[in-house]
Amino acid sequence: MATKTTMSITELNDETVRSMSIGAVFSDFGGKINSLDFHRKDDLLVTASEDDSVRLYDIANAKLLKTTYHKKHGADCICFTHHPSSVICSSRHNLESTGEALRYLSMYDNRCLRYFKGHKERVVSLCMSPVNDSFMSGSLDHSVRIWDLRVNACQGVLRLRGRPTVAYDQQGLVFAVAMEGGAIKLFDSRSYDKGPFDTFLVGGDTAEVCDIKFSNDGKSMLLTTTNNNIYVLDAYGGEKRCGFSLEPSPNTTIEATFTPDGQYVISGSGDGTLHAWNIMMRNEVTAWNSHIGIAACLKWAPRRAMFVAASTVLTFWIPNNSKPGAEPGSTDAQAGAQSEQIGQ
């Protein structure tokens, strides 16, 4: 896996995407995995789970590196900072009594480096700027807050209707905020106080957007709604490039992800399947049984032919020719994963 999965992302094609299969399984979580994030440059993955754990993985070797528990605050939304052992994590517990909605954590020595107070209700969207120490959080208190890792105080607040969802583009120049009625507002991250410079409407769909992602080239935007519709929009003009409907999943939001080349979208579904579409051709390339029920978390690794899908179980998916046995040096976790996958 360590060598095979370094396949250049420019080599992705329909055949490679179809060949993706489970290469490693981690099933020792004590509850649902709430969120996960890849580091932009290092081969690392972090998860936040209902069992109050934050777990750090080496994705090159499918190896758990560290687990920390956060019983007081819990672990809900999570994202890496630029440092490979530091993360931002939102709280699930004791928010009313502590006000500590967000924490800046060092995984290296299991220390909280800073608390960020301001949100009155749970954070449901979290995003780190790709270029500096700014990050954004969207909360059920109907606000988006802009922060700086180096400062306790909130740097700015946007108040809006509905459940806010936030995302930076890959250059950190623009951020998008989704709000009530399927409206997507775009802001200049250096002068957001002037208000949005553009607003897109997802025509005909008034479901709340629960996730936004920009493609790496900045040309496309991926929206997932609470009723499990997925849209790819032109990030400049807002035109709908394609849309896909998936099986509903009451009380569980699903996640969709671009491949790093921006050519494919992968998504979970309410029936426990995973789907891949070719955006240019607007057709479904393949569908898989997730083997883990509804995958609420799904992300493609930034620099590898690999994605992860998670429910109460975390699965690493890699091209079929990288399966254990195809090369020396496959990990015990992978080898055990194959029998678990077949036995499910």
Side-chain angles (χ1 to χ4, degrees):
M1 178 168 164
T3 54
K4 293 284 186 181
T5 53
T6 52
M7 172 174 34
S8 165
I9 52 175
T10 57
E11 294 172 34
L12 275 184
N13 53 36
D14 286 8
E15 184 182 356
T16 303
V17 171
R18 282 193 198 101
S19 81
M20 301 294 282
S21 60
I22 294 177
V25 177
F26 292 88
S27 53
D28 56 339
F29 291 84
K32 188 168 78 78
I33 296 160
N34 294 319
S35 64
L36 48 80
D37 190 35
F38 286 103
H39 193 269
R40 286 175 173 274
K41 295 179 179 164
D42 290 31
D43 278 328
L44 295 169
L45 173 77
V46 67
T47 63
S49 168
E50 261 179 359
D51 64 9
D52 301 331
S53 72
V54 172
R55 306 185 190 208
L56 186 67
Y57 294 87
D58 164 5
I59 66 169
N61 300 292
K63 183 182 176 187
L64 175 63
L65 298 176
K66 187 144 194 178
T67 303
T68 59
Y69 284 93
H70 304 266
K71 296 297 181 187
K72 181 182 177 184
H73 295 91
D76 203 358
C77 295
I78 199 157
C79 69
F80 273 107
T81 64
H82 299 291
H83 193 282
S85 64
S86 297
V87 298
I88 306 159
C89 185
S90 71
S91 303
R92 275 184 87 82
H93 315 317
N94 300 312
L95 190 53
E96 287 181 11
S97 59
T98 68
E100 294 160 353
L102 293 157
R103 285 129 43 230
Y104 177 20
L105 305 174
S106 167
M107 293 292 289
Y108 175 71
D109 52 6
N110 192 19
R111 205 159 50 94
C112 183
L113 305 175
R114 197 178 297 284
Y115 293 103
F116 299 96
K117 296 184 179 183
H119 284 303
K120 302 290 185 249
E121 293 192 48
R122 202 163 63 83
V123 168
V124 290
S125 186
L126 188 60
C127 187
M128 182 81 204
S129 165
V131 294
N132 59 31
D133 284 328
S134 300
F135 68 98
M136 281 188 303
S137 54
S139 164
L140 295 176
D141 66 10
H142 308 301
S143 74
V144 168
R145 288 179 177 265
I146 294 117
W147 311 85
D148 186 310
L149 279 177
R150 300 163 295 183
V151 185
N152 290 68
C154 177
Q155 303 297 293
V157 185
L158 304 171
R159 302 199 183 277
L160 36 91
R161 297 186 305 278
R163 168 199 174 117
T165 303
V166 295
Y168 283 99
D169 77 338
Q170 298 296 337
Q171 287 71 45
L173 299 175
V174 170
F175 65 79
V177 178
M179 54 192 74
E180 195 174 63
I184 312 296
K185 294 187 181 290
L186 297 182
F187 294 81
D188 183 325
S189 56
R190 294 157 300 185
S191 54
Y192 54 82
D193 51 329
K194 293 179 180 172
F197 65 82
D198 210 345
T199 301
F200 300 156
L201 290 169
V202 183
D205 194 335
T206 56
E208 287 185 311
V209 173
C210 55
D211 189 44
I212 308 176
K213 291 183 177 74
F214 284 89
S215 59
N216 278 346
D217 61 11
K219 293 179 181 176
S220 301
M221 196 186 299
L222 178 62
L223 311 178
T224 308
T225 68
T226 50
N227 62 355
N228 291 3
N229 287 334
I230 290 167
Y231 301 100
V232 179
L233 304 187
D234 180 287
Y236 301 119
E239 299 85 14
K240 189 161 74 174
R241 294 182 61 191
C242 49
F244 311 103
S245 291
L246 293 144
E247 293 297 318
S249 53
N251 307 317
T252 303
T253 56
I254 61 167
E255 186 172 8
T257 182
F258 282 118
T259 51
D261 59 8
Q263 300 304 305
Y264 298 89
V265 167
I266 317 289
S267 169
S269 178
D271 60 1
T273 55
L274 303 174
H275 298 259
W277 295 273
N278 183 314
I279 296 170
M280 196 72 73
M281 304 303 292
R282 299 187 180 191
N283 68 320
E284 183 169 296
V285 174
T286 191
W288 305 275
N289 180 346
S290 74
H291 298 284
I292 59 169
I294 299 170
C297 300
L298 182 71
K299 282 193 171 74
W300 195 287
R303 298 173 302 108
R304 285 182 173 270
M306 171 196 289
F307 68 85
V308 292
S311 54
T312 56
V313 177
L314 175 65
T315 53
F316 287 70
W317 291 67
I318 55 176
N320 195 33
N321 61 3
S322 327
K323 272 189 176 180
E327 62 174 280
S330 66
T331 67
D332 292 340
Q334 291 170 269
Q338 292 312 301
S339 57
E340 188 166 345
Q341 178 197 359
I342 293 161
Q344 283 176 339

